[in-house]
DNA sequence: CTGATAAGTTCTTTGTCACAACAAAATATT
DNA sequence: AATATTTTGTTGTGACAAAGAACTTATCAG
């Protein structure tokens, strides 16, 4: 007879035993080197507050796991014995996959966030989930075989333009791809043998930005990105990624901005992403979808009053989204990305965006544009894999 | 010369040393007993996953700190040696203060969340911050002197209807009280000698609900409360309270719901709390402000078509707020409180509230009414104090 | 009254980290 | 060029926390 289930909620951080303590220290130090680049052991000591000898032991453990290696610095500025610099291992990589309407992107990303290689496999039509897995699997073995040194692949991260259940990587719906209830992570695991995760692309873009870009060292961050397939976003609060109960949090694209507005693909009305689209802005200045990166310049150069009206109107609606977000999340930074960054650069100041947020929250928030370029999604997709590795380095590699 | 400041961000949970390990276990077990009521040591063992002997040692430590005590159970159901039941100490209390427009509420709340005593000190006019401190200080010594056993007061928690900076308990603005930039926590500390904290009343109401009420054991919770002074709220995500960078997060009352709507006190337009007020609903059924608790019944009984229209319209606007919240936070539960619960009970079903949220998030969310009654705010205000105590029991009492 | 069961108690072992003493390797000073 | 100073790695020791085993205690079932 099974015993009565306890409220299994692990109270507080799950660090109760000495074993978990060491795991935590391994995790923290690996995380610092992953995010902060090469760091001397002396700096790690100061940053963690641990003892010199402890840091030495932990770094030695990480080196045994081939996750980091130590090198003596070439030049040392200050007096005293030089401290060995801890680098992330260059042979440990994650594979990033990003299916799109007309192509599949596949990349090789090293621990530390460097994109080593990247390919774009074009498709004739919008690919099915099965096709994406097949194309990506081929591309992956191709990428790996062309590599000279042998790499250790720790897993696959897939960035999907749609809603993904984090627990098992099930794509609930990706309307632009025409996908519904596709167990994408499981499909990748079966096809490649590598442990796989999938998540919403906008959330992963934010992860990249939050770990390596404009949101670095920001504990309370709101990120909104606009692309060809709509508007998404993600939130970091208290230094932690906001996922919600299943991973669907951060859908800024479906914020209500206009009563009885255009019908949205989601079934609702007045959604932000139904009212403000990249296509409409591109059309207004006569650009093609492929020229989205020129939107900011084109908007700045335009003297067409119709464009000015469209921009003003779009900024107003973006302002509603940002205002709501500032009131709800009280972030220190709001990052705008994709065509929303272009829209932002067309605004005379940030008053249209945050002017109507409550004063207390408004005063300490700043709006800025994304810092990362095209690699963004590759880095973000790899990051879901690395996050798992970093959470429990030795446990992850043992399994 | 000061050394160069390191990015002092403690990576991950700050549990790096064996000392912090014990602190963490003290904290976890005290938290379980505080929230879950009396628990046997055997159950604590199962809930924490720690060893019998460890739990025994930790509980002994907590007993030494006079935070818990153990009693043998009167009746035992199963075979085997009876496990001592760990109770929260009844002599450890926090003082809860809640200033309102026409009164100051002061309460004595025990560890474990029981309200021992409570007084309402009526005021002729809306009191200033100084007056509130003065009235409350008198009421506190009065409450304490009338108590037969000697109590250990661990601190004061103040629930303020306005925006409060959490770090130092500065009231940034409480428009209904007419307060601006009042260092309320510091004022209480000076006047009473007890360590004091202040926070937004709606957030504290949510804390109560999240710890002891409808949001118990819910890791992803959205809470929206409507009262005489407007609409506020709070969010728990991933089991943690969402505060934002300074503590102003959760201002659902200023969500945009109607273009060119009524001007709001915040300076914005179309805010939810400007469009839907308790007063208007009370007026529609001919109730007074003091009869707010009868609103739900009155709305149910009303046959007036004007009331029906107002209710439908208000529900629509509430639906916008809830829909946005579901899309952004992906909660498992949305709790409605105050007059919003009355409004909710007047709805035929929850379709008006969550019908337009994105499907994936909508399917797993449920909307329910607050479970806690009038004590809510006292419990919540005490909770900011207890949270500090629980985070580091021995450190808190040593300081 | 006896056996089964469950859980507290005690003692030992293991593992983690802090600390102190020492050694090493660089710069700074004379 | 020699020496002092500074900073940091290294090593060994001790404190402390938790796990585990062996034993004891207290209840229930028959």
């Amino acid at each position: 007879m099974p015993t009565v289930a306890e409220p299994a909620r692990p109270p507080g951080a799950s660090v109760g035993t000495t074993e978990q303590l060491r795991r935590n220290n391994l995790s923290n130090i690996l995380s610092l080197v992953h995010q902060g680049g090469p760091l001397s052991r002396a700096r790690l000591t100061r940053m963690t507050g641990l003892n010199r000898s402890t840091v030495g032991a932990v770094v030695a453990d990480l080196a045994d796991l081939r996750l980091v290696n130590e090198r003596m610095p070439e030049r040392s500025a200050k007096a005293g014995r030089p401290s060995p610099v801890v680098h992330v291992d260059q042979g440990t990589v994650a594979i990033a996959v990003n299916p799109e309407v007309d192509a599949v992107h596949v990349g090789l990303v090293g621990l530390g966030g460097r994109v080593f290689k990247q390919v774009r496999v074009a498709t004739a039509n919008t690919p099915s989930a099965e096709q994406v897995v097949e194309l990506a699997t081929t591309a992956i073995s191709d990428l790996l075989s062309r590599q000279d040194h042998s790499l250790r692949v720790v897993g696959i991260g897939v960035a999907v333009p749609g809603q993904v259940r984090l627990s098992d990587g099930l794509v609930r719906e990706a309307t632009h791809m025409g996908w519904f209830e596709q167990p994408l992570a499981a499909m990748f695991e079966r096809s490649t043998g590598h442990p796989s995760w999938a998540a919403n692309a906008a959330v992963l873009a934010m992860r990249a930005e939050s770990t390596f870009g404009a949101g670095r060292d920001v504990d309370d961050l709101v990120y909104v990105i606009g692309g060809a397939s709509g508007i998404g976003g993600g939130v970091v609060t208290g230094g932690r990624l906001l996922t919600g109960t299943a991973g669907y949090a951060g859908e800024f694209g479906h914020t209500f901005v206009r009563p009885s507005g255009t019908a949205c693909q989601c079934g609702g009305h007045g959604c932000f992403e139904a009212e403000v689209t990249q296509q409409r802005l591109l059309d207004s200045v006569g650009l093609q979808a492929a020229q989205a990166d020129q939107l900011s310049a084109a908007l700045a150069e335009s003297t067409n009053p119709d464009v000015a009206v469209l921009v003003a109107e779009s900024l107003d609606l973006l302002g509603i989204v940002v205002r709501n977000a500032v009131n709800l999340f009280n972030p220190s930074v709001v990052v705008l990305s994709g065509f929303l960054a272009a829209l932002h650069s067309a605004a005379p100041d940030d008053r249209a965006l945050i002017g109507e947020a409550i004063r207390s929250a408004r005063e300490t928030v700043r709006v800025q544009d994304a810092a990362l370029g095209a690699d963004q999604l590759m880095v973000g997709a790899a990051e879901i894999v690395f996050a798992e590795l970093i959470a429990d380095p030795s446990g992850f590699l043992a399994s």
Side-chain angles (χ1 to χ4, degrees), chain A:
Chain A
M1 204 113 117
T3 49
V4 177
E6 297 289 341
R9 186 192 230 195
S14 128
V15 182
T17 73
T18 50
E19 192 188 327
Q20 292 166 330
L21 185 63
R22 184 52 163 270
R23 175 190 311 164
N24 205 42
N25 282 333
L26 282 169
S27 171
N28 285 342
I29 288 186
L30 182 56
S31 172
L32 285 170
V33 186
H34 170 63
Q35 194 189 340
L39 291 169
S40 73
R41 246 158 75 184
R43 281 199 70 186
L44 286 172
T45 302
R46 286 191 295 264
M47 290 168 93
T48 57
L50 298 174
N51 191 278
R52 283 212 291 269
S53 52
T54 307
V55 173
V58 170
V59 169
D61 273 14
L62 288 174
D64 285 347
L65 293 166
R66 292 202 302 118
L67 289 170
V68 304
N69 43 58
E70 296 185 280
R71 296 181 221 157
M72 291 316 284
E74 298 179 4
R75 316 249 326 107
S76 62
K78 285 180 291 186
R81 180 173 178 172
S83 188
V85 177
V86 182
H87 294 253
V88 120
D89 178 70
Q90 293 295 306
T92 302
V93 299
I95 291 161
V97 178
N98 171 228
E100 286 191 345
V101 179
D102 56 354
V104 181
H105 291 261
V106 179
L108 228 54
V109 185
L111 194 55
R114 222 179 89 197
V115 180
F116 290 130
K117 290 194 172 182
Q118 191 173 355
V119 290
R120 178 177 189 276
V121 183
T123 59
N125 304 306
T126 303
S128 68
E130 286 80 8
Q131 288 173 315
V132 164
V133 172
E134 198 185 313
L135 290 171
T137 304
T138 310
I140 290 166
S141 42
D142 204 50
L143 277 180
L144 289 174
S145 65
R146 274 197 235 156
Q147 202 65 20
D148 31 333
H149 353 282
S150 80
L151 297 177
R152 172 171 56 177
V153 176
V154 290
I156 298 180
V158 191
V160 183
Q163 285 131 38
V164 183
R165 187 163 70 198
L166 279 183
S167 56
D168 58 356
L170 174 74
V171 178
R172 299 296 310 281
E173 56 179 270
T175 44
H176 276 79
M177 306 296 294
W179 297 359
F180 293 91
E181 312 293 341
Q182 296 291 321
L184 198 60
M187 290 162 70
F188 265 99
E189 289 198 355
R190 207 172 325 124
S191 174
T192 66
H194 294 299
S196 306
W197 289 265
N200 174 275
V203 171
L204 294 180
M206 187 218 54
R207 262 190 113 119
E209 204 70 45
S210 157
T211 312
F212 301 109
R216 202 168 182 147
D217 296 323
V218 176
D219 279 342
D220 297 276
L221 175 76
V222 164
Y223 178 90
V224 191
I225 180 169
S229 58
I231 288 163
V235 178
V236 166
T237 177
R240 291 161 168 269
L241 186 70
L242 187 141
T243 62
T245 189
Y248 312 136
E251 285 289 351
F252 289 97
H254 300 284
T255 298
F256 170 88
V257 295
R258 184 132 67 185
S260 59
T262 321
C264 179
Q265 285 195 316
C266 76
H269 292 269
C271 292
F272 181 43
E273 77 168 35
E275 303 293 328
V276 177
T277 67
Q278 174 170 288
Q279 194 58 54
R280 207 172 306 160
L281 282 163
L282 288 171
D283 287 350
S284 77
V285 292
L287 287 173
Q288 301 296 311
Q291 303 168 297
D293 51 333
Q294 299 164 38
L295 180 60
S296 179
L299 289 176
E301 283 165 23
S302 168
T303 53
N304 184 339
D306 290 351
V307 171
V309 168
L310 178 64
V311 164
E313 201 178 289
S314 301
L315 274 171
D316 271 356
L317 300 183
L318 175 58
I320 291 173
V321 172
V322 172
R323 154 196 174 176
N324 280 351
V326 169
N327 287 341
L328 290 182
F329 296 107
N330 180 25
S332 50
V333 178
V334 173
V335 173
L336 297 176
S337 183
F339 81 84
L340 295 178
L343 202 52
H344 178 220
S345 64
D349 57 41
D350 289 344
R351 233 175 305 167
L353 297 183
I354 56 170
E356 292 218 326
I358 58 169
R359 188 178 59 89
S360 317
R362 186 209 315 149
E363 281 175 359
T364 49
V365 70
R366 65 174 196 276
V367 181
Q368 53 185 84
D369 293 345
L372 264 45
D375 286 351
Q376 205 184 36
L377 266 185
M378 294 288 102
V379 173
E383 207 57 23
I384 24 174
V385 182
F386 290 140
E388 298 286 330
L389 170 66
I390 288 171
D392 179 10
S394 74
F396 185 100
L397 294 179
S399 68

